[in-house]
Amino acid sequence: MKNIRLPFDRDGWKFAGVAAVIAILLGHIGNNMGWLGFLATIGCLLFFRDPERVHPSSKTVAISPADGIILRVSECEPPAELELNGTWKKVSIFMSILNVHVNRAPVSGIVDKILYIPGKFFNVSLDKASEYNERQATYMTMPDGTKVVFVQIAGLIARRIRCDITEGQQLEMGDRVGIIRFGSRVDVYLPDYVKICVEDGQVAVAGETILASFKA
C-alpha cells in the first residue's frame, strides 16, 4: 500500500499538539476560551502546510525556492562571507506569515556547502538584511558545472532556520530543503548571464515559478 503523505510539515504537528492541549485546558475555563484555543490549533496547521508542487520539466531554468513576493531583482556583488567573486544576479523573495514556509531547491545538482552565518534580526525588506541578519547559505553545482547559491534569511519574527539537507547530497529541482518559521526572506544568487523571468512585486510559488533561464 502506498504511503499517504499529509500536507503538513513535521514541525506543524508539534506546535498544533501543544495548541490542542492548551485548547482543552481553556475549554474547562469557558467555551469561548476553548474556541480560541481550537482556532490557534488550526492556525498552527495552516502555517505549517506543505502542499505538493509540480516543478518545470526543463533543466535549464531556476525556480523559486520560496512562496512569497519578489521583493527585488538586482545585479550585485554578494556579501564578502559568501566568497562569490564578481557580479551576480540576485532575486530576493519575501515570505509573509501567511505564505507556505517550506523551502525548495531552485535547481538540480549537488550541495557543495552549507554555510551558517549568525547575525541580527532586521526587517527582511531592508537591503542590509542580506549582510547583517542571521542566515544560511546553500551552495549548489548543477550537472553542467553552473553554480547557484540560495540564502535563507531570518527576520524580525522568523528566528529559526531548519535545514533538512547535508553537504554532498544530490538534490532534484523542487526537493524540500528546510523551513523558516514565521516569515522571512530567501535570496537566490545566479550567474550574471542568466535571463531573469520575474519582476519586482510578482507573486512567486515555491517549486513552480521560474525565476531565470540559463539559456543565454
Side-chain angles (χ1 to χ4, degrees):
M1 182 177 177
K2 186 177 179 180
N3 292 330
I4 299 175
R5 184 184 182 280
L6 295 176
F8 301 102
D9 182 79
R10 66 175 188 267
D11 280 355
W13 300 113
K14 294 185 290 186
F15 280 85
V18 172
V21 171
I22 294 174
I24 294 171
L25 295 175
L26 290 176
H28 289 291
I29 298 175
N31 288 334
N32 290 337
M33 297 294 287
W35 277 109
L36 287 175
F38 173 75
L39 291 175
T41 304
I42 298 301
C44 284
L45 288 176
L46 288 176
F47 176 82
F48 286 100
R49 65 194 186 279
D50 182 16
E52 294 294 341
R53 298 286 168 78
V54 180
H55 61 76
S57 59
S58 173
K59 298 297 184 181
T60 60
V61 299
I63 60 173
S64 178
D67 277 19
I69 300 294
I70 303 297
L71 185 66
R72 192 171 298 108
V73 176
S74 61
E75 293 189 13
C76 68
E77 292 186 3
E81 71 271 2
L82 295 182
E83 298 181 345
L84 299 174
N85 298 324
T87 300
W88 290 63
K89 288 185 177 175
K90 181 175 76 170
V91 181
S92 299
I93 304 141
F94 172 72
M95 303 159 58
S96 79
I97 196 170
L98 299 177
N99 290 125
V100 172
H101 284 72
V102 175
N103 296 152
R104 295 169 179 267
V107 295
S108 298
I110 296 290
V111 177
D112 293 322
K113 182 170 70 170
I114 299 173
L115 176 65
Y116 170 74
I117 305 165
K120 301 182 183 299
F121 299 96
F122 292 118
N123 187 321
V124 290
S125 65
L126 302 175
D127 286 338
K128 62 183 179 181
S130 292
E131 296 187 46
Y132 296 109
N133 279 27
E134 179 173 315
R135 55 207 180 277
Q136 179 173 279
T138 300
Y139 298 69
M140 294 187 66
T141 299
M142 297 172 64
D144 64 359
T146 301
K147 305 289 185 181
V148 173
V149 179
F150 63 94
V151 184
Q152 298 162 287
I153 304 172
L156 282 172
I157 300 175
R159 300 296 179 101
R160 177 78 166 86
I161 301 172
R162 193 192 77 208
C163 180
D164 294 339
I165 57 176
T166 58
E167 293 181 353
Q169 184 174 345
Q170 172 71 47
L171 294 178
E172 296 300 321
M173 179 189 295
D175 282 353
R176 295 168 175 84
V177 299
I179 188 172
I180 311 178
R181 290 182 191 160
F182 310 123
S184 192
R185 167 176 163 179
V186 179
D187 287 347
V188 185
Y189 291 92
L190 300 156
D192 63 353
Y193 65 81
V194 303
K195 177 185 177 182
I196 298 297
C197 302
V198 291
E199 57 186 19
D200 295 4
Q202 181 177 333
V203 175
V205 178
E208 295 187 356
T209 299
I210 295 175
L211 297 184
S213 170
F214 293 99
K215 291 184 177 180

